[in-house]
Amino acid sequence: MEQLGIMCLFRGVEGKLRFGISQRLPAVSMPILDMSLATMQTNQTSVTYFIIKGISDDPHLELLIFLLVLLIYLITISGNLTILIACRDPHLHTPMYFFLGNLSIVDIGCSSVSLHKILTNFIVGDKRVSFFACMAQMYMFGSLEGLELAVLTAMSYDRYVAICKPLQYHLIMNSRTCGILAAVCWILGFLQVLPPVGTVYSFSCYFSIEINHFFCDIIPVIRISCEDTTFVEMLFFIEGLFPIILTPFLLTFVSYIFIIHAILRIRTSSGRLKAFYTCSSHLAVVILLYTTLFGQYLTPNLSSTLESK
């Protein structure tokens, strides 16, 4: 499980960057009494591109931010590639490493989708992103995050079978079962974010073209829309609360209730430690990821959350 522990470290560093650094947009200045129809039409118009604000507006910090993000990205990619190479070892062709390989692929994609714009903005010097590219990035990031939660849920089931039903492990977690679980994870991951992203895609007017983030995420884009966002806010909350986050969380939580119960029934302390060690790294990744997602997206009032992003 050392590989999963390394991934936990990567997720912690990247998660802090991804969700904790974005700055607040300056308030949009719109005169109330003397606003003319022309001004209204200028502020509420369809856009063909957005401007990614980035992590900081200070030009003196651009090089430092670029080097930091590049270091995190290279560590994440190299670490996950190392895991994928290790998973090719015939001795590691087990269900745990099969799902770990899937998780590494997802993590590489998620890091590339969310961090590449910071790197290219510094190199090219252009913070613009086309409307369609922004929507595609929003969809891919949401899909990969949901897929990551689904894979972690499948891994929790694998740990449940390994600890609670060790004599039936190879019979239950055969190649067919693993293939079905992985296929379900990938299909659900790319389907469940379609409704909220499709709704945002239908928006045609925005107060600003500047996105208060370092990539196109759904909350900052909703923040600058001048259309009625009540429906998409409710849809986003319901989608995030039930199929995307809460359902995998409950399945993982229930699995670990049975796992902990089975570990406590082991008579020897060395046996309990060995059993706990097999799932400790996975549990650390689960806690880190769910804490970040609940704090970022599932606050009770989305409108107030948008103001703080």
Side-chain angles (χ1 to χ4, degrees):
M1 294 297 288
E2 291 83 357
Q3 291 87 346
L4 191 55
I6 296 173
M7 181 176 290
C8 177
L9 176 62
F10 297 156
R11 295 298 303 176
V13 176
E14 184 188 346
K16 290 179 181 179
L17 177 67
R18 181 182 300 163
F19 298 120
I21 310 180
S22 59
Q23 304 294 319
R24 177 178 296 185
L25 272 171
V28 178
S29 176
M30 291 192 302
I32 298 178
L33 299 177
D34 300 325
M35 183 182 297
S36 63
L37 180 60
T39 304
M40 289 286 292
Q41 292 174 343
T42 300
N43 288 333
Q44 299 183 3
T45 183
S46 59
V47 298
T48 57
Y49 67 91
F50 294 103
I51 295 176
I52 305 296
K53 186 178 181 181
I55 295 177
S56 174
D57 293 328
D58 190 347
H60 298 93
L61 296 177
E62 288 186 355
L63 178 60
L64 178 61
I65 292 173
F66 171 78
L67 294 176
L68 177 62
V69 173
L70 180 62
L71 177 63
I72 294 174
Y73 182 68
L74 291 178
I75 291 176
T76 303
I77 297 299
S78 59
N80 283 290
L81 287 177
T82 302
I83 293 175
L84 288 175
I85 294 174
C87 289
R88 297 182 61 186
D89 188 332
H91 297 91
L92 298 180
H93 287 178
T94 62
M96 183 186 71
Y97 282 95
F98 171 75
F99 290 115
L100 186 60
N102 278 264
L103 191 63
S104 295
I105 295 173
V106 175
D107 200 39
I108 290 174
C110 200
S111 301
S112 300
V113 168
S114 61
L115 299 181
H116 83 279
K117 198 60 183 175
I118 302 177
L119 303 176
T120 56
N121 285 349
F122 179 83
I123 297 174
V124 179
D126 186 2
K127 294 187 175 182
R128 293 179 299 176
V129 57
S130 71
F131 177 83
F132 296 105
C134 182
M135 295 298 109
Q137 187 180 39
M138 183 192 307
Y139 170 73
M140 288 301 299
F141 178 75
S143 298
L144 291 171
E145 282 294 321
L147 174 57
E148 189 167 26
L149 296 179
V151 173
L152 286 172
T153 304
M155 293 179 72
S156 68
Y157 177 71
D158 171 71
R159 293 299 84 202
Y160 159 75
V161 177
I163 294 176
C164 298
K165 300 181 179 181
L167 298 180
Q168 304 175 36
Y169 178 73
H170 293 289
L171 180 64
I172 297 175
M173 297 302 296
N174 52 50
S175 57
R176 182 175 180 273
T177 302
C178 293
I180 292 175
L181 286 175
V184 170
C185 290
W186 282 86
I187 292 173
L188 289 180
F190 283 93
L191 287 181
Q192 60 192 1
V193 297
L194 281 175
V197 173
T199 305
V200 175
Y201 178 81
S202 66
F203 289 170
S204 59
C205 73
Y206 294 87
F207 287 119
S208 171
I209 62 173
E210 187 178 41
I211 296 177
N212 183 28
H213 211 16
F214 55 88
F215 70 98
C216 289
D217 200 5
I218 189 168
I219 288 183
V221 174
I222 294 175
R223 171 70 178 87
I224 61 175
S225 174
C226 61
E227 297 196 19
D228 183 8
T229 60
T230 304
F231 174 74
V232 71
E233 288 179 15
M234 183 63 65
L235 179 63
F236 179 76
F237 186 78
I238 294 175
E239 280 269 325
L241 184 62
F242 291 103
I244 297 180
I245 296 181
L246 190 59
T247 300
F249 173 78
L250 289 177
L251 291 174
T252 303
F253 183 74
V254 171
S255 297
Y256 270 99
I257 289 179
F258 286 104
I259 289 173
I260 294 173
H261 178 70
I263 290 177
L264 293 177
R265 293 175 59 185
I266 299 176
R267 296 182 178 180
T268 63
S269 57
S270 60
R272 287 194 295 269
L273 288 175
K274 182 178 180 181
F276 179 75
Y277 175 74
T278 62
C279 58
S280 59
S281 297
H282 173 263
L283 182 61
V285 175
V286 168
I287 293 174
L288 174 65
L289 188 58
Y290 277 105
T291 301
T292 304
L293 291 178
F294 274 112
Q296 179 70 9
Y297 294 111
L298 294 185
T299 50
N301 189 338
L302 182 57
S303 298
S304 62
T305 303
L306 293 174
E307 292 292 338
S308 64
K309 301 306 175 191

